[in-house]
Amino acid sequence: KRIENKINRQVTFSKRRNGLLKKAYELSVLCDAEVALIIFSSRGKLYEFGSVGIARTIERYNRCYNCTLSNNKPEETTQSWCQEVTKLKSKYESLVRTNRNLLGEDLGEMGVKELQALERQLEAALTATRQRKTQVMMEEMEDLRKKERQLGDINKQLKIKFETEGHAFKTFQDLWANSAAGDRNNSEFPVEPSHPISLDCNTEPFLQIGFQQHYYVQGEGSSVSKSNVAGETN
C-alpha cells in the first residue's frame, strides 16, 4: 500500500526508480529490445529512458495501436470510408455545377438571388482579370523601354567609336598625302609633263616640180636635203 511517510516515500521512489531504469537498460542491451520508459514523480518531475528514442517508440506504438483497432472493427472503418467518399462526390458535383454556371450553362434552375450572386462573382472575376491584364501590359511596356534605352546606349557607343575611327582614318590620309607631296618635292629628277606629237599618216604620193624637199631627223641635230627634178615622182 501507499507509504504514508513523505520522506520514506521519496527515498523509496528514488531507489526503485533507479533500479527500474537500470532494468530497462539491461533489457534493451541483453535482449536487443526496443524499450521506452516514462516516469512522472508525485511532484510532476519527468524521468524517461528510450533505447532508440522516446518519440520514435511512441510513434511506433501509435501505428500498431491504430492498426489493431482497424483490424478489430472492419465494419466501422468501411462505413467511415463510405461517408468520406460520399462527401467528396457531393463536393465534386457542386464544383462541376458552379463551373457550368460560370460558363453560362444550366442557369434555368437558378433563382434571382443566385443569379445576382453569380453576376457579382463574374464582375469581380472580370475586374481582377482586367487588373492583371493591365499589370502585365505595363510590365511588358517597361521591359520594352529598358530594351530601347539599352539599344540607345549601344547606338551612342557605336557612333562614338565610328567617329573616332573615322577621325583616325582621316588623319592617316592627311599624313599620307603630306608625305607623298614631300617626296615629290624632294626628288632629284622632276618629272616633266609629256607633250603629244601629232603625226599625219594620211600622206599620198604627189608630183613635185622645181623645189627641194628637206628631211629632218629628229634627235640627231642634222638635216638632209634632196633635190627633186621635174618629172620625177616620189
Side-chain angles (χ1 to χ4, degrees), residues 28-221:
S28 64
V29 174
L30 296 176
C31 301
D32 195 17
E34 184 175 347
V35 180
L37 177 61
I38 300 175
I39 303 174
F40 286 96
S41 66
S42 59
R43 297 180 181 179
K45 192 173 182 180
L46 172 63
Y47 302 92
E48 63 179 7
F49 168 78
S51 59
V52 295
I54 296 294
R56 179 176 174 181
T57 304
I58 292 176
E59 183 180 358
R60 182 177 179 182
Y61 169 77
N62 290 330
R63 287 199 303 267
C64 294
Y65 180 75
N66 293 331
C67 183
T68 303
L69 292 178
S70 300
N71 293 332
N72 293 334
K73 299 179 180 180
E75 296 180 357
E76 295 180 0
T77 304
T78 304
Q79 186 178 0
S80 63
W81 280 112
C82 290
Q83 293 176 357
E84 188 69 21
V85 170
T86 303
K87 291 180 181 179
L88 292 176
K89 185 177 179 180
S90 176
K91 187 175 182 180
Y92 171 76
E93 291 176 354
S94 176
L95 291 174
V96 171
R97 184 170 56 256
T98 303
N99 188 25
R100 294 178 66 87
N101 293 333
L102 291 174
L103 294 175
E105 301 175 358
D106 297 340
L107 301 178
E109 300 179 356
M110 299 181 65
V112 177
K113 294 183 178 179
E114 294 177 349
L115 290 174
Q116 290 178 351
L118 179 62
E119 183 179 5
R120 289 192 296 269
Q121 187 176 1
L122 290 173
E123 288 178 353
L126 183 60
T127 303
T129 303
R130 287 175 176 172
Q131 291 178 354
R132 178 57 184 169
K133 178 183 176 182
T134 304
Q135 182 180 0
V136 172
M137 293 177 64
M138 295 298 294
E139 291 176 355
E140 291 181 353
M141 291 176 63
E142 186 65 24
D143 292 338
L144 291 176
R145 291 193 186 98
K146 290 181 180 179
K147 292 180 180 180
E148 183 180 2
R149 289 194 293 268
Q150 292 176 358
L151 291 176
D153 295 338
I154 294 174
N155 189 17
K156 290 180 181 179
Q157 294 176 1
L158 292 175
K159 186 176 180 180
I160 294 172
K161 184 178 180 181
F162 177 76
E163 291 177 354
T164 304
E165 293 180 353
H167 181 70
F169 182 72
K170 189 175 184 305
T171 304
F172 176 76
Q173 284 184 335
D174 295 339
L175 291 175
W176 179 264
N178 294 333
S179 177
D183 292 340
R184 285 195 299 270
N185 294 330
N186 297 329
S187 177
E188 296 180 356
F189 303 98
V191 179
E192 297 293 338
S194 60
H195 298 281
I197 300 174
S198 60
L199 298 176
D200 189 4
C201 298
N202 296 325
T203 57
E204 295 181 356
F206 60 92
L207 180 63
Q208 297 179 352
I209 301 174
F211 69 92
Q212 293 181 352
Q213 184 179 4
H214 299 275
Y215 295 95
Y216 298 91
V217 179
Q218 184 70 23
E220 295 180 0

